Amino acid sequence: MAPSTPLLTVRGSEGLYMVNGPPHFTESTVFPRESGKNCKVYTFSKDGTLFAWGNGEKINVTNITNKGLLHSFDLPKVICLEFSPKNTVLAMWQPYTTSKDGTAGIPNLQLYDMKTGTCLKSFIQKKMQNWCPSWSEDETVCARNVNNEVHFFENNNLNTIANKLHLQKINDFMLSPGPQPYKVAVYVPGSKGAPSFVRLYQYPNFDGPHAALANKSFFKADKVTMLWNKKATAVLVIASTDVDKTGASYYGEQTLHYIATNGESAVVQLPKNGPIYDVVWNSSSTEFCAVYGFMPAKATIFNLKCDPVFDFGTGPRNAAYYSPHGHILVLAGFGNLRGQMEVWDVKNYKLISKPVASDSTYFAWCPDGEHILTATCAPRLRVNNGFKIWHYTGSVLHKYDVPSNAELWQVSWQPFLDGIFPTKTITYQAVPSDVPNEEPKAATAYRPPALRNKPNTNSKLHEEEPPQNMKPQPGNDKPLSKTALKNQRKHEAKKAAKQEARGDKSPPNLAPTPAAQSSARNTLSQSISGNPEVDKKIKNLKKKLKAIEQLKEQAAAGKQLEKNQLEKIQKEKVLLQELEDLELDI
């Protein structure tokens, strides 16, 4: 039996309701619309069977499968909800308050048993950040960060602390996904000249000098973001400072670190300077994508050795989203960018489509791996609220615009467990749609009055880099792009043909001396091609190469070169290759 299509939950000033997923897009009857503007929170269980929401008076829990109301809790101030992985516990958090006389407030984090509806345990949790306890996939372990240490509970026995992980001022932790054995990554910020560090442990082995599986220390970190891969073999750590002391970036300074459970660690070398906007793991756990650098930003896929595998070049982007099956990657520019998306087949590194979702504040893949949700929500944007459902080939299948006097606050897919939806073959042909895709008109660049009656030039503010395959080719130490490979083959074929033509004049096995090579090159370069354009190109290339030689001499003499001068030196190899190709054609 084929799985049902995921539902779409919509919360706004028009109420809380659900919409049937593609291809129907009609309002669903499994959940009666909750009218009014008082719904502040909702959540699905991990498998999508249970749904909990607050209506301003109570927290209700219903079973989506059989449409039955399971529980109702009299907790009107709850603003955060979360189910445990196996639907055993519902965690609820409300803002912490103290009484006027200064006495301690009442516990504001409640954990309820979903079978009986009784409260298992209440805690005081002052901060909203990381409010929810972390469970292992089978719920044998539950962990909380309390007073700079991590407390572990076993089998949802929340009255007894089974283990503690105590280091000096643990700021954050992350429990690994997947089956046993469970690992935990902990972050301790630096102080008094000591560096910050992230350590990996295997539960419950926390004691002793060699208990840690891996350790990575670094300076320049006011906060970190830790990302486990799906197989729990490695963690990516984005270390951030609030202020960039060099003044190069408004966003502070970020570095990306890789830590594996086998003890290996590395700094991921990003070829372009600037902020790190997004980093995501592929569900295969063998590669990750980073979006980074001053605009136009670069996007690169790295393997587990932190070597670049494929570079998507530069473009207007600040986010990356792998599909649930890991075979499609969307690079997008949301927020202060225009909503341009690039949909890539990451098995063959081919561009599938380039849709544009203007003013989007939210993006999510459908669990079926075929459909995409983009939305414009308040309070981020209070105008043009609504959502669109796309096929990854760029077709808009459904569009809903909220009335001008209403707002959309939240929209999301019903989750499904991994493996429910099979991976389908990627198609490049746009699927048919009845919804017209209103592509925004490209804004024309400003031209001052003095230039408006003159021919348009093709000058660009930024030189955009094209995509490049970085995988090493057999027999080569360094990776070559497709273009470089093509040029190399063409060059070798011409060289072989030329040697064949001269075979009767010179012994084939005798290698020429460097002096003879230089003499031949000079003789060859002085010959006239008969094509003024080619002669002009050769002359310009020689001029550039001479300038590079002068710069290299200046650098050898100890002179500090500018950034653009260093970039010129880096182009020497490309220019020499170009010159050789032109001269071979003569």
Side-chain angles (χ1 to χ4, degrees):
M1 183 179 172
S4 58
T5 309
L7 296 165
L8 202 66
T9 309
V10 183
R11 182 176 71 89
S13 57
E14 296 180 303
L16 176 71
Y17 60 98
M18 292 187 187
V19 174
N20 290 311
H24 305 293
F25 310 113
T26 53
E27 188 164 339
S28 176
T29 57
V30 301
F31 179 80
R33 182 186 283 249
E34 181 90 44
S35 300
K37 302 180 181 181
N38 295 324
C39 178
K40 296 288 188 287
V41 61
Y42 72 78
T43 191
F44 271 102
S45 61
K46 189 178 179 182
D47 62 2
T49 58
L50 300 184
F51 181 71
W53 78 100
N55 58 11
E57 297 175 3
K58 294 184 177 183
I59 298 295
N60 299 314
V61 183
T62 186
N63 190 313
I64 293 296
T65 309
N66 58 27
K67 308 180 187 179
L69 186 68
L70 297 178
H71 302 291
S72 189
F73 305 104
D74 189 16
L75 293 165
K77 294 182 180 178
V78 167
I79 60 169
C80 293
L81 292 170
E82 193 78 43
F83 283 100
S84 62
K86 296 184 76 175
N87 305 347
T88 310
V89 179
L90 176 62
M92 295 183 259
W93 184 87
Q94 49 195 328
Y96 178 73
T97 55
T98 54
S99 57
K100 291 181 180 178
D101 58 6
T103 55
I106 58 171
N108 61 322
L109 170 60
Q110 281 83 25
L111 303 177
Y112 278 84
D113 189 325
M114 281 293 94
K115 286 184 179 177
T116 62
T118 57
C119 185
L120 292 171
K121 186 70 176 175
S122 293
F123 297 101
I124 288 178
Q125 174 68 35
K126 293 183 180 180
K127 292 182 180 179
M128 186 176 177
Q129 184 183 6
N130 300 327
W131 69 271
C132 188
S134 294
W135 278 275
S136 61
E137 202 169 80
D138 59 5
E139 295 191 14
T140 56
V141 177
C142 175
R144 289 185 69 230
N145 190 352
V146 183
N147 298 328
N148 298 316
E149 60 183 21
V150 184
H151 293 179
F152 293 88
F153 308 90
E154 292 183 350
N155 301 312
N156 285 323
N157 180 7
L158 300 166
N159 293 309
T160 305
I161 299 172
N163 282 288
K164 286 185 181 180
L165 175 51
H166 179 75
L167 292 170
Q168 193 173 17
K169 293 185 178 179
I170 292 176
N171 181 276
D172 197 6
F173 80 98
M174 183 162 278
L175 204 59
S176 68
Q180 296 186 27
Y182 298 115
K183 290 107 178 174
V184 59
V186 293
Y187 162 61
V188 176
S191 59
K192 296 180 181 177
S196 306
F197 62 85
V198 169
R199 279 184 194 161
L200 308 185
Y201 292 91
Q202 182 171 305
Y203 181 84
N205 306 323
F206 301 140
D207 298 323
H210 304 293
L213 299 173
N215 180 77
K216 178 70 177 172
S217 58
F218 38 81
F219 290 96
K220 296 183 178 180
D222 296 324
K223 58 186 177 182
V224 302
T225 303
M226 296 181 287
L227 305 163
W228 277 102
N229 64 1
K230 200 173 180 181
K231 292 182 180 176
T233 58
V235 177
L236 290 170
V237 179
I238 307 169
S240 309
T241 59
D242 295 327
V243 178
D244 185 350
K245 292 180 180 178
T246 65
S249 175
Y250 168 81
Y251 298 97
E253 195 174 354
Q254 291 91 27
T255 50
L256 182 60
H257 305 266
Y258 170 88
I259 312 171
T261 53
N262 63 3
E264 293 177 357
S265 64
V267 178
V268 182
Q269 300 295 335
L270 302 175
K272 188 173 185 179
N273 293 329
I276 299 172
Y277 303 104
D278 201 7
V279 179
V280 284
W281 279 104
N282 190 318
S283 57
S284 66
S285 298
T286 58
E287 64 182 32
F288 58 92
C289 180
V291 183
Y292 58 93
F294 296 113
M295 288 294 165
K298 280 181 81 71
T300 308
I301 290 178
F302 296 88
N303 60 19
L304 294 183
K305 293 180 180 178
C306 300
D307 294 328
V309 175
F310 190 84
D311 192 306
F312 295 96
T314 56
R317 56 176 78 115
N318 54 16
Y321 308 92
Y322 274 107
S323 65
H325 304 102
H327 62 324
I328 299 174
L329 174 68
V330 175
L331 302 174
F334 295 136
N336 59 348
L337 298 174
R338 292 179 52 221
Q340 292 167 269
M341 296 187 283
E342 296 172 38
V343 184
W344 286 84
D345 171 357
V346 289
K347 300 296 179 188
N348 301 306
Y349 299 116
K350 288 176 69 177
L351 185 65
I352 301 170
S353 62
K354 291 187 74 173
V356 178
S358 300
D359 301 329
S360 294
T361 61
Y362 179 76
F363 176 103
W365 271 102
C366 180
D368 67 7
E370 284 196 277
H371 299 93
I372 290 167
L373 168 68
T374 61
T376 305
C377 302
R380 179 68 185 267
L381 281 176
R382 297 192 182 276
V383 294
N384 298 329
N385 282 189
F387 64 88
K388 290 178 182 177
I389 297 173
W390 310 69
H391 190 266
Y392 66 78
T393 52
S395 304
V396 179
L397 304 181
H398 179 67
K399 179 183 178 184
Y400 177 70
D401 294 322
V402 174
S404 57
N405 60 345
E407 289 181 346
L408 176 66
W409 300 328
Q410 189 179 1
V411 58
S412 61
W413 293 106
Q414 174 192 11
F416 276 69
L417 294 175
D418 293 338
I420 298 293
F421 293 94
T423 306
K424 294 185 179 179
T425 306
I426 292 175
T427 177
Y428 293 87
Q429 186 66 38
V431 300
S433 171
D434 297 330
V435 181
N437 188 6
E438 299 162 6
E439 290 276 341
K441 291 181 181 178
T444 55
Y446 171 78
R447 285 171 66 80
L451 297 178
R452 284 174 192 171
N453 296 323
K454 294 184 179 180
N456 199 358
T457 58
N458 292 324
S459 60
K460 289 185 178 180
L461 183 63
H462 300 286
E463 192 65 38
E464 290 192 3
E465 297 177 26
Q468 184 181 5
N469 196 336
M470 311 288 280
K471 278 187 178 178
Q473 303 300 322
N476 286 326
D477 293 330
K478 293 184 179 180
L480 289 175
S481 68
K482 288 180 182 176
T483 311
L485 269 174
K486 189 178 175 183
N487 288 339
Q488 187 187 58
R489 287 174 191 146
K490 187 179 172 184
H491 171 68
E492 286 171 357
K494 283 182 180 178
K495 203 169 184 180
K498 200 142 192 166
Q499 280 180 350
E500 274 182 36
R502 294 188 309 209
D504 56 331
K505 295 180 184 177
S506 60
N509 297 325
L510 196 63
T513 62
Q517 278 183 329
S518 175
S519 173
R521 179 174 289 184
N522 288 337
T523 308
L524 198 65
S525 61
Q526 285 165 12
S527 64
I528 299 169
S529 66
N531 188 335
E533 285 296 319
V534 173
D535 289 342
K536 189 176 179 182
K537 283 181 183 177
I538 291 173
K539 188 179 178 182
N540 286 337
L541 285 168
K542 286 185 174 179
K543 192 176 178 182
K544 287 178 182 178
L545 287 166
K546 188 178 179 182
I548 287 171
E549 282 299 322
Q550 289 173 350
L551 288 172
K552 284 166 76 176
E553 287 170 9
Q554 290 172 13
K559 184 180 176 182
Q560 187 72 28
L561 298 182
E562 299 291 332
K563 186 182 176 182
N564 63 331
Q565 292 174 322
L566 291 169
E567 286 173 355
K568 279 182 184 178
I569 292 174
Q570 289 170 1
K571 292 177 182 177
E572 184 182 23
K573 193 174 179 181
V574 178
L575 295 173
L576 281 168
Q577 180 70 54
E578 201 176 330
L579 179 62
E580 199 167 347
D581 286 343
L582 285 170
E583 289 177 337
L584 279 170
D585 285 332
I586 297 172

